[in-house]
Structure formats: C-alpha cells, structure tokens
Amino acid sequence: MAPSSRRQREREIVEATRALFDERGLQDAPVEEIARAVGINKALIYRHFASKEELFVLTATSYLEELSAALRAVDRSDEPRARLVACSDAFVRYCLDHPAFLDCSISLLRRPSEELVEIVSEGVLLRLTLSMAECLAVIEEILRDGHERGDFSVDDPAFTANLLWARALGALHLARFGVGVSRGEGGLPRFFAVSADRLRERLMIDTLAVVGARR
C-alpha cells in the first residue's frame, strides 16, 4: 500500500473509532465494529496499529488537536485573567460536549508513563505528547504572562498548567455522573444533583485560586 493510501486508511480507522467513542463511550468500541465501519477485516487494523491501545491513543490525539484549536482561538490581546477564564471555559465546554474525550484522558492518566511506553510505539507516543503539549502551552503562556504582570503568583507555569489540566479532568467526571454523595441521617448515603453549570462555576473559582489571581 502506498504511503498516502496507508495514511488515508489510518485516518478512516481513527475517525470510525472516534465515531463509536462519541456514540457509546470508550468501553464500548470493539475492534470488530471499528473494522466493520471502515469496511475492512479486523486483521487489517493490526497492520496499521500495533495494538488496540495504540489506536485508542491516536483517537485521543484527534480530540486533543480539536481542543488545542479551541484554546488557541482565545484572544491573546486580552489580559491574562480574562484569557485564563476564557480558556478554562473552552476546556470545560469541550469536555462536556465530548464525554468520550474524558474517558480517553482518564484512561491515559491511569497508566504510569513507563507502562504507556511499552504498549504504544514511539511515533504514536510522540504524536500524543505533542498534541498535549500544544494544549498545555496555551495555558502555560497565560500563566507566565500573568505572573510577569503581577496578576498571578505562579512559580512554575509548566507544572501549574499540568495540575490545572488534571484537576479539571477529574472534576468534570463528577458533572458527567451528575450525582454527589454525602452521609445522611442514620449514616445512610444521601444523594444530590451536581449540575454542569455549578461545576463550571466552581472550577473557574478553583482555577483562579490555584494561580493566586489578584482580586
């Protein structure tokens, strides 16, 4: 197969995988159905991807590329606080609109880096980390600008950007679940609704607190 044809087939497989992710979630996308959607034999998928995990990593990369574009659409001429709020809102909205992206991200974060290196090729891992770095670079730039202007108190913009990313992903799963739990009368569990709007507002407050945003 010519290189251009091979790349086109890989794109078709990733697009089919993502369509199943969006429809059913990460756990319900068997390779057999992905192959059927593309119109190929299951065995051919493994000629393009070393493993199911590698295919899923590349599918996560496609989400990250979209998210990066959404973050970079924020007006860079705004002051750092306004840019951080806008990026946080864009991130939250993208995650809520693409719940399968949350599944992919949490699935990746669940694995130690050493394990991920063992199950995907260097090329695929490079594409994933480059896509993540593109997203995080937007946040890191805002944090650095804000610190230099005295609007934020951030000693390590790169670390703080990663921290904000991971915190938001975890919290947004609560919005997807839609229910919180507390201890009620008699020690029995009490359930209460958790709305996306409430969580979005809380995440914004927490983000500004983490970076030491000036009131």
Side-chain angles (χ1 to χ4, degrees):
M1 182 179 290
S4 59
S5 299
R6 182 179 180 84
R7 286 193 295 270
Q8 176 60 31
R9 177 56 55 81
E10 288 176 354
R11 282 195 294 270
E12 291 173 355
I13 294 172
V14 169
E15 288 170 2
T17 305
R18 178 165 167 174
L20 285 175
F21 278 9
D22 289 335
E23 179 184 349
R24 306 178 187 176
L26 176 61
Q27 303 303 322
D28 296 314
V31 172
E32 293 83 355
E33 293 199 30
I34 296 170
R36 192 178 307 125
V38 182
I40 61 175
N41 186 280
K42 171 184 173 181
L44 290 177
I45 288 185
Y46 293 108
R47 292 187 182 179
H48 293 274
F49 305 95
S51 64
K52 182 177 180 180
E53 287 77 14
E54 187 167 286
L55 171 56
F56 286 4
V57 166
L58 284 176
T59 305
T61 301
S62 74
Y63 285 111
L64 287 167
E65 290 168 351
E66 279 188 357
L67 177 56
S68 175
L71 296 177
R72 292 187 179 280
V74 170
D75 191 347
R76 294 182 65 188
S77 66
D78 285 344
E79 62 178 354
R81 182 190 179 105
R83 288 158 61 196
L84 183 61
V85 168
C87 279
S88 178
D89 188 61
F91 180 86
V92 170
R93 290 183 183 279
Y94 186 85
C95 289
L96 293 176
D97 290 341
H98 301 84
F101 170 66
L102 280 175
D103 286 346
C104 289
S105 299
I106 294 298
S107 178
L108 290 172
L109 287 174
R110 212 171 51 223
R111 296 178 182 274
S113 58
E114 297 85 358
E115 181 181 333
L116 194 59
V117 169
E118 292 178 356
I119 62 175
V120 301
S121 67
E122 290 185 3
V124 169
L125 190 59
L126 177 62
R127 289 170 65 178
L128 171 69
T129 51
L130 283 174
S131 297
M132 289 187 66
E134 285 295 315
C135 293
L136 290 165
V138 178
I139 309 302
E140 186 178 342
E141 179 186 352
I142 295 171
L143 298 181
R144 184 177 293 106
D145 289 349
H147 184 75
E148 291 174 354
R149 288 166 50 119
D151 295 340
F152 303 152
S153 178
V154 179
D155 295 330
D156 189 339
F159 171 78
T160 305
N162 279 266
L163 175 64
L164 291 173
W165 179 281
R167 283 167 61 104
L169 286 174
L172 285 165
H173 264 281
L174 181 59
R176 185 178 181 188
F177 191 53
V179 175
V181 182
S182 67
R183 184 179 180 184
E185 294 183 6
L188 295 175
R190 180 181 69 87
F191 302 98
F192 58 92
V194 177
S195 70
D197 287 339
R198 182 182 182 186
L199 192 62
R200 182 185 295 115
E201 179 182 357
R202 185 69 252 179
L203 275 173
M204 197 73 67
I205 293 171
D206 287 351
T207 295
L208 294 173
V210 167
V211 303
R214 192 175 56 187
R215 291 187 179 275

